[in-house]
Amino acid sequence: MLSKVRAAALHGIEAIPVEVEVNVSRGLNRVTMVGLPDTAVRESQERVLTALANSGFRPPTGKVTINLAPADLRKEGPSFDLPLALGLLGATRQLDEPVPADLVPAGELALNGALRPIKGALPIALRARADNHRGLLLPLENAPEAAVVQGLDIFPATTLRQSVEFLKGQSLLPPLRVDTAALFNNEGDTDLDMADVKGQDSVKRALEIAAAGAHNLLLIGPPGSGKSMLAQRLPTILPPLTLEEALETTRVHSVTGQLTPGQALVTRRPFRAPHHTASDAGLMGGNVHPTPGEISLAHHGVLFLDELPEFRRAVLETMRQPLEEGRVTISRAAGAMTFPAQCMLIAAMNPTPDGKMPADSRSSPREIQNYLGRISGPLLDRIDLHVEAPPVQFRDMSTASNGEPSATIRARVIAARRRQQARLSSTRANARMTSRELKRHCALASADQSMLHDSMETLQLSARAHDRILKVARTIADLEAADTITSAHLAEAIQYRTLDRQLWG
């Protein structure tokens, strides 16, 4: 007898519809699985057969043929366990009715028949909605994640037997409902706050500008100057995630297994801080079957690279295109995959190999130049603001007063972002302006044009640095609610590029 069950295969961060066909006929007891299953899927037949027996069902006898269509798409992971089990039950007539074609089951089976959570429940739910399916049958831990997709019924189950009883109408599984607004309201407090940082007012100003326009930023200062402390607090002044941004971010975290059991959405902007020993595959994504890397896990959030020169140069060079385009494309023999990578890059480094300021360093000028030269000019061009973080003075450390809290700074950042969204008619920030938008919204007076020309000549800036200056100036103007860029806005933006000449000239 032939049985068909809907399923889904993950391809990058997308889900592709799959049809599981199970046929049981007379012959020697043998299970044959075709349709490009990977090792985990091939091994599932042992899990499924054992789970069926331990759940009180009759394992199939005879020749069992399982086809995973389409046949030219590779199927990975244990999420096919539940569809395979239901298909076998249908083919052996232990299910009175076939599994509805508008219901997509997914889940891993334990040997005792319990359902275990899987990766990629959210992409599967999004695909099911796009295909006009009624709902999903999922493990209990994955149900909240899928339930954030409106227009679907998500049925949470804990065991294979419970799933079968639900399909037979012998028990009820009420569809799970998730209040997405409540998820954002219960975002939770954090112990991090800009008020904790003593001194460093100029760096805080640069961080506010970076947050307001989604600009990349480089912090240069000796150890103990607060670079990491400031970077960790940047998410506290960024605007809250929108529902669309949260869904995009959650989808990446879902396929990589980064969500905690029962977590429905990523409601905080992610902050990723990979170690400087990270490989290009770890940072950008890749491997034989590409998965998202750190830059994609930081989508709509912050990617913090501490000790920037300690990263291998080849790894840093791979970041140039993703930083420009906001996405990562990984090509392999089997095809190409594209992952989102629209994040803010915040990097930190020492000014010299021994960590001291150049005037106090024992390193020779050649050693300093070699150290700084580990960062290429093209990568530096893609970092909008270069900021010195000087050593913290004792008077700043000993003061009893706290600095400006994150909530106050965040309010100004949100107001600036709203001006940008109204001007650009989208959710993009100034850092993502196109060339046409740059010409339209960043026009300068003739005197300011001369100032920018002289600065480019003096600092030997590139054309890309020219555009970055204009975008930063536009953000500074937005923070002050100014309709046009003034000389003061432009001058402040230019001074954030002076490190180009000082360090790499």
Side-chain angles (χ1 to χ4, degrees):
M1 181 177 177
L2 178 64
S3 175
K4 296 182 179 181
V5 180
R6 298 287 183 184
L10 292 177
H11 184 72
I13 61 171
E14 304 290 341
I16 308 298
V18 171
E19 187 172 61
V20 178
E21 299 176 314
V22 181
N23 187 75
V24 179
S25 59
R26 292 181 180 179
L28 295 176
N29 289 345
R30 185 179 66 180
V31 178
T32 303
M33 185 180 297
V34 295
L36 285 183
D38 74 343
T39 303
V41 180
R42 286 189 181 279
E43 290 177 348
S44 67
Q45 57 183 288
E46 301 299 332
R47 291 194 301 272
V48 170
L49 293 175
T50 305
L52 286 172
N54 289 335
S55 299
F57 299 107
R58 183 180 73 255
T61 57
K63 181 181 178 181
V64 179
T65 304
I66 301 171
N67 180 42
L68 307 176
D72 60 347
L73 175 70
R74 184 177 179 84
K75 288 81 179 179
E76 303 175 354
S79 63
F80 291 94
D81 287 9
L82 182 58
L84 286 172
L86 297 178
L88 287 168
L89 292 173
T92 55
R93 300 184 181 180
Q94 297 180 75
L95 274 177
D96 302 329
E97 299 289 338
V99 178
D102 60 355
L103 182 69
V104 181
E108 178 184 347
L109 284 173
L111 296 183
N112 62 357
L115 279 177
R116 289 174 171 165
I118 59 171
K119 298 178 182 178
L122 178 58
I124 293 174
L126 292 170
R127 168 53 62 182
R129 183 178 66 178
D131 292 341
N132 296 317
H133 289 312
R134 175 171 66 97
L136 271 67
L137 180 61
L138 291 172
L140 178 63
E141 293 87 348
N142 291 124
E145 173 190 347
V148 300
V149 180
Q150 301 297 314
L152 281 179
D153 289 333
I154 307 300
F155 302 103
T158 56
T159 65
L160 174 59
R161 174 157 289 281
Q162 185 183 33
S163 303
V164 173
E165 291 174 351
F166 164 69
L167 292 173
K168 288 183 174 182
Q170 298 174 356
S171 67
L172 293 177
L173 285 181
L176 181 67
R177 298 285 182 257
V178 172
D179 186 352
T180 54
L183 292 176
F184 285 96
N185 292 336
N186 295 330
E187 182 181 10
D189 297 326
T190 175
D191 294 333
L192 303 178
D193 197 288
M194 280 291 183
D196 303 331
V197 183
K198 303 288 187 179
Q200 302 293 23
D201 292 338
S202 61
V203 183
K204 292 178 185 177
R205 167 66 175 173
L207 283 171
E208 180 178 343
I209 296 170
H215 300 289
N216 301 324
L217 181 144
L218 173 63
L219 297 171
I220 302 178
S225 57
K227 303 186 296 296
S228 299
M229 186 179 185
L230 286 159
Q232 291 167 358
R233 283 156 177 75
L234 177 60
T236 66
I237 65 173
L238 289 172
L241 285 170
T242 64
L243 178 58
E244 182 180 354
E245 289 175 335
L247 286 172
E248 291 177 3
T249 304
T250 304
R251 187 167 57 167
V252 178
H253 286 242
S254 175
V255 300
T256 54
Q258 298 286 325
L259 298 180
T260 58
Q263 183 180 3
L265 268 180
V266 175
T267 55
R268 290 177 181 269
R269 293 193 180 271
F271 180 86
R272 306 293 299 186
H275 193 259
H276 60 76
T277 56
S279 65
D280 53 352
L283 193 62
M284 308 305 298
N287 298 319
V288 178
H289 305 294
T291 55
E294 290 290 341
I295 194 170
S296 295
L297 289 168
H299 185 52
H300 291 312
V302 176
L303 177 66
F304 177 49
L305 301 184
D306 200 5
E307 304 294 344
L308 186 65
E310 301 301 328
F311 284 81
R312 289 190 294 115
R313 181 163 180 146
V315 173
L316 294 179
E317 291 304 296
T318 61
M319 297 184 57
R320 287 158 51 179
Q321 185 175 358
L323 288 176
E324 196 77 21
E325 299 180 355
R327 62 180 182 272
V328 179
T329 300
I330 301 171
S331 297
R332 293 291 183 268
M337 290 187 186
T338 299
F339 302 123
Q342 205 168 101
C343 65
M344 291 176 58
L345 171 64
I346 306 299
M349 60 179 290
N350 296 328
T352 60
D354 59 6
K356 298 181 180 180
M357 298 301 288
D360 303 321
S361 176
R362 295 183 178 179
S363 302
S364 67
R366 184 180 184 84
E367 289 174 332
I368 295 175
Q369 193 62 36
N370 289 338
Y371 174 73
L372 300 176
R374 297 179 188 177
I375 305 171
S376 69
L379 176 62
L380 187 69
D381 267 352
R382 289 166 170 81
I383 301 179
D384 308 57
L385 298 95
H386 314 151
V387 183
E388 284 192 12
V392 181
Q393 301 298 318
F394 175 77
R395 63 177 179 274
D396 295 325
M397 293 295 298
S398 60
T399 182
S401 60
N402 290 326
E404 197 173 25
S406 292
T408 303
I409 304 174
R410 191 186 205 190
R412 294 196 297 265
V413 168
I414 292 174
R417 285 284 184 103
R418 286 175 179 164
R419 294 185 189 97
Q420 295 164 42
Q421 292 164 8
R423 182 170 59 248
L424 301 175
S425 300
S426 71
T427 58
R428 289 180 294 117
N430 284 338
R432 297 289 173 185
M433 278 193 290
T434 64
S435 298
R436 181 174 297 179
E437 290 168 339
L438 193 69
K439 292 178 181 178
R440 181 179 178 184
H441 302 300
C442 298
L444 300 177
S446 57
D448 296 333
Q449 286 277 17
S450 299
M451 179 198 302
L452 182 55
H453 174 268
D454 293 342
S455 298
M456 289 193 64
E457 291 289 329
T458 303
L459 300 175
Q460 299 179 1
L461 300 178
S462 66
R464 184 177 285 111
H466 168 275
D467 291 350
R468 301 277 176 176
I469 288 174
L470 290 178
K471 292 176 182 180
V472 172
R474 180 63 263 178
T475 299
I476 296 171
D478 288 334
L479 283 169
E480 297 184 3
D483 294 330
T484 58
I485 298 174
T486 67
S487 300
H489 303 147
L490 182 62
E492 184 176 2
I494 291 172
Q495 64 97 13
Y496 290 123
R497 302 295 309 193
T498 54
L499 296 178
D500 281 328
R501 177 63 179 269
Q502 180 178 340
L503 295 180
W504 284 266

